[in-house]
Amino acid sequence: MKRTEPPIEAVIFDLFGVIIAFDNDIVPARLARHCADPADALRHLDGLMARHEIITGAVTLRRVHRRLVDAHGLTLTYPQFEAAWLEPYSWPMPGMADLVKVLSENHRLVLLSNIDHDYWQVVRATQPELKLFTELLVSCDLGCAKPESEAFLRASQAAGVHPERCLFVDDTRTNVEAARALGFQTHWFRDAAGFIEYLGPGPFR
């Protein structure tokens, strides 16, 4: 890797938008059409999958269902709601599985993802490249989420490497800026080609 001051020993990857592509609008749309006022529900459900209390495990999926029934007249039973929540809304990011494999040969890899407990089980079962990671840190287990400082510091601790020797890769600028402020080297991810260009000449080129 071309970043040598100081040399990178670990790469900390975001999940959504980096390892896997996704569309956060899919689940709210699935749920809204079963509400009393679909258009109003859709407005209120914007960003549902990323809400702090959900991704940190402060509320259960069953409680989320109960709230939607009470607030928006959701007609789905809990099993139907759970199925709609767990139906995949993500898919492999082109080029990243192979790149992760190459990087794992010489670097410790840590995943740091904001994700709820239930959908994490779906992702973990369908993304074989996650087995290449040294540590898998997810907000629903940590009880904190990016861009909170604790999440980043827990990742560097899991890697066993000081922040300045970690490369943090994320598609959200707020997270990238928060990590940089803590001393991490960072890359704002747009696609695999751009990440490879950032890394420079190496065994994957």
Side-chain angles (χ1 to χ4, degrees):
M1 297 171 64
K2 72 176 183 179
R3 296 292 185 255
T4 57
E5 295 295 334
I8 289 170
E9 297 178 29
V11 184
I12 301 172
F13 281 105
D14 175 34
L15 176 63
F16 291 107
V18 178
I19 303 299
I20 56 176
F22 72 106
D23 185 344
N24 255 349
D25 294 332
I26 291 177
V27 175
R30 282 182 197 152
L31 300 177
R33 60 175 172 263
H34 297 285
C35 292
D37 185 337
D40 179 68
L42 187 59
R43 285 193 295 273
H44 283 90
L45 296 181
D46 182 52
L48 177 66
M49 312 302 291
R51 291 182 185 173
H52 191 270
E53 63 179 359
I54 294 176
I55 61 176
T56 58
V59 298
T60 63
L61 196 58
R62 192 172 290 277
R63 188 174 176 188
V64 174
H65 171 253
R66 184 72 254 168
R67 287 181 178 179
L68 296 183
V69 170
D70 293 342
H72 300 290
L74 180 70
T75 60
L76 296 176
T77 64
Y78 179 73
Q80 291 171 331
F81 167 77
E82 183 181 41
W85 189 277
L86 298 180
E87 183 180 346
Y89 59 91
S90 57
W91 51 92
M93 179 68 73
M96 285 304 294
D98 290 340
L99 185 51
V100 164
K101 184 176 186 300
V102 171
L103 288 174
S104 71
E105 295 172 0
N106 296 298
H107 299 83
R108 284 170 245 172
L109 304 186
V110 174
L111 185 77
L112 182 61
S113 175
N114 288 353
I115 187 172
D116 68 276
H117 172 77
D118 299 274
Y119 196 68
W120 170 233
Q121 308 312 311
V122 175
V123 172
R124 193 166 188 175
T126 56
Q127 300 299 135
E129 64 272 25
L130 294 180
K131 295 177 181 178
L132 298 170
F133 283 71
T134 305
E135 296 284 348
L136 300 173
L137 302 184
V138 289
S139 58
C140 56
D141 291 337
L142 294 174
C144 59
K146 298 173 295 182
E148 296 170 39
S149 297
E150 182 181 352
F152 299 110
L153 297 178
R154 293 277 291 274
S156 66
Q157 289 167 5
V161 177
H162 290 298
E164 62 269 18
R165 291 179 180 268
C166 294
L167 172 63
F168 174 70
V169 183
D170 200 300
D171 68 315
T172 301
R173 293 200 75 159
T174 300
N175 294 338
V176 170
E177 291 166 1
R180 187 181 300 123
L182 293 170
F184 290 83
Q185 297 185 56
T186 61
H187 173 68
W188 180 34
F189 184 91
R190 309 314 295 164
D191 54 37
F195 185 39
I196 290 173
E197 182 178 358
Y198 168 85
L199 294 173
F204 50 86
R205 295 295 292 273

